[in-house]
Amino acid sequence: QVQLVESGGGLVQAGGSLRLSCAASGRTFSTYDVGWFRQAPGKEREFVARLSKSNGITYYADSVKGRFTISRDNAKNTVYLQMNSLKPDDTAVYYCAARNSDAGSYPFWGQGTQVTVSS
């Protein structure tokens, strides 16, 4: 079992940057596959980025590739999402998620943090 708490959201102008953090409980968090998702008003939740637990490879949605970077600090039990060159379309509630496998659904979710990008 792992508990996740996101932070770092806020209001930023287009072109700006934010860094989201996802702090996790549990001593084995370093063994979890982690991801970031987002949900904009009136839209389905969508995948943003993933950091594989087995090989450390990162995966990104096409819409954020080259602008967002997912990383983790296992000593701090924290996963980050660095977001640069933000666009109004990036406005959403951002969630981190974790699973203890390389595939399948994510059973563990944070409560979300709001990111609003103004034009």
Side-chain angles (χ1 to χ4, degrees):
Q1 192 80 359
V2 63
Q3 294 182 325
L4 307 172
V5 179
E6 302 97 334
S7 61
L11 174 64
V12 64
Q13 288 188 330
S17 298
L18 282 174
R19 188 177 79 158
L20 305 183
S21 299
C22 174
S25 63
R27 291 179 294 175
T28 61
F29 183 63
S30 61
T31 65
Y32 281 71
D33 196 90
V34 292
W36 285 95
F37 294 77
R38 67 186 182 186
Q39 187 167 21
K43 295 187 177 180
E44 297 287 321
R45 185 178 296 181
E46 65 176 2
F47 166 78
V48 174
R50 174 196 167 208
L51 180 55
S52 170
K53 77 179 188 70
S54 60
N55 55 24
I57 293 177
T58 55
Y59 304 85
Y60 297 95
D62 288 343
S63 59
V64 307
K65 202 170 294 183
R67 300 187 297 122
F68 290 12
T69 303
I70 185 172
S71 62
R72 72 193 305 165
D73 183 336
N74 289 331
K76 296 183 178 179
N77 265 11
T78 301
V79 175
Y80 303 100
L81 184 68
Q82 178 66 43
M83 306 186 295
N84 298 328
S85 302
L86 283 161
K87 306 174 182 179
D89 284 349
D90 295 318
T91 295
V93 177
Y94 284 71
Y95 301 88
C96 67
R99 61 188 179 189
N100 52 16
S101 63
D102 280 328
S105 63
Y106 286 85
F108 306 111
W109 291 83
Q111 83 289 349
T113 185
Q114 176 71 47
V115 172
T116 303
V117 184
S118 63
S119 56

